[in-house]
Amino acid sequence: QPVLTQPPSASASLGASVTLTCTLSSGYSNYKVDWYQQRPGKGPRFVMRVGTGGIVGSKGDGIPDRFSVLGSGLNRYLTIKNIQEEDESDYHCGADHGSGSNFVVVFGGGTKLTVL
Amino acid sequence: EVQLVESGGGLVQPGRSLRLSCAASGFTFDDYAMHWVRQAPGKGLEWVSGISWNSGSIGYADSVKGRFTISRDNAKNSLYLQMNSLRAEDTALYYCAKDQGETVAGDFDYWGQGTLVTVSS
């Protein structure tokens, strides 16, 4: 099964842009990844799914156009433009592997985004 | 509006059991797979278990296999997690999450607010 790696922290100034990275382990370059936003004290919220061709399916409910994704090689990126205070959150990436009783979902360690 | 409300958490001694419930509303429950995902204090997310719409396909993380049992009652729009032989490392906030399809696919489009399970003597 894949291993997902995320930097533990990132920061950006209000109104700036930031790109968060989720890296798949070697051999899993064709895997799609889901991005989730988790505001302090809240449950996670689906942002969108990304493959090497970009977004897969639709964004989550209420996710603004400022959020976009790209995929390249083993990396899956989430870019947030014109950062707002409400974007300060933990961002998690996840990927599924296998099927039936061998099905698993793996998550990265999460990136804490601080808005300066 | 989709709502997932977890309940059943609490303080329990190591080796004991606990049953979590998730009440779903705002969507056709038996059209979708469902999952449990947990988050230990200050840590990342860990998938625990998933179940397809008709309970025909079930999966568990290795860390809980043989101790936890997921089930659902489509007539009651409810998801359950029976947790036996609890360990200190099971201490976490347990989230109920809805899949985007009827089979276990692992893309969770809605999550609850979680119920806290603390395993301690």
Side-chain angles (χ1 to χ4, degrees):
Chain A
Q1 62 194 50
V3 174
L4 306 183
T5 302
Q6 298 181 254
S9 64
S11 62
S13 300
L14 200 62
S17 296
V18 70
T19 295
L20 307 180
T21 304
C22 175
T23 303
L24 291 149
S25 52
S26 178
Y28 296 96
S29 60
N30 62 329
Y31 273 53
K32 303 175 183 64
V33 152
D34 296 306
W35 283 100
Y36 301 95
Q37 177 193 55
Q38 186 176 27
R39 289 174 171 151
K42 300 293 186 182
R45 174 192 186 193
F46 175 69
V47 178
M48 68 187 89
R49 170 169 274 204
V50 55
T52 51
I55 185 172
V56 179
S58 302
K59 291 182 181 180
D61 286 352
I63 299 298
D65 292 341
R66 303 184 291 103
F67 286 68
S68 62
V69 292
L70 276 177
S72 176
L74 294 172
N75 293 320
R76 305 291 180 263
Y77 304 102
L78 174 66
T79 297
I80 310 172
K81 297 181 179 179
N82 185 22
I83 288 177
Q84 302 298 302
E85 288 185 3
E86 69 254 26
D87 299 331
E88 184 161 288
S89 303
D90 290 329
Y91 289 85
H92 306 273
C93 61
D96 60 273
H97 175 75
S99 61
S101 61
N102 294 317
F103 174 85
V104 294
V105 178
V106 294
F107 290 97
T111 296
K112 183 177 184 62
L113 176 63
T114 300
V115 178
L116 304 172
Chain B
E1 179 193 3
V2 172
Q3 285 199 324
L4 300 170
V5 180
E6 303 93 339
S7 61
L11 175 63
V12 61
Q13 293 179 328
R16 303 298 291 265
S17 299
L18 209 57
R19 188 193 196 210
L20 305 184
S21 299
C22 171
S25 61
F27 65 101
T28 305
F29 184 70
D30 56 9
D31 276 351
Y32 296 94
M34 297 293 295
H35 300 259
W36 289 99
V37 179
R38 68 185 180 184
Q39 187 171 33
K43 302 295 185 182
L45 301 173
E46 179 188 15
W47 176 79
V48 174
S49 182
I51 185 169
S52 63
W53 69 280
N54 64 352
S55 305
S57 182
I58 288 175
Y60 297 97
D62 286 344
S63 58
V64 307
K65 205 170 286 185
R67 299 187 299 123
F68 290 11
T69 302
I70 191 172
S71 62
R72 63 189 295 161
D73 185 335
N74 288 344
K76 295 183 177 179
N77 289 348
S78 293
L79 176 72
Y80 306 102
L81 186 68
Q82 177 66 42
M83 304 187 295
N84 298 332
S85 303
L86 282 162
R87 306 167 179 166
E89 53 264 37
D90 295 319
T91 294
L93 191 58
Y94 283 73
Y95 294 104
C96 168
K98 172 187 168 292
D99 209 308
Q100 295 197 37
E102 60 182 21
T103 58
V104 282
D107 45 342
F108 315 120
D109 57 354
Y110 290 95
W111 300 63
Q113 290 300 300
T115 186
L116 181 63
V117 173
T118 303
V119 184
S120 174
S121 54

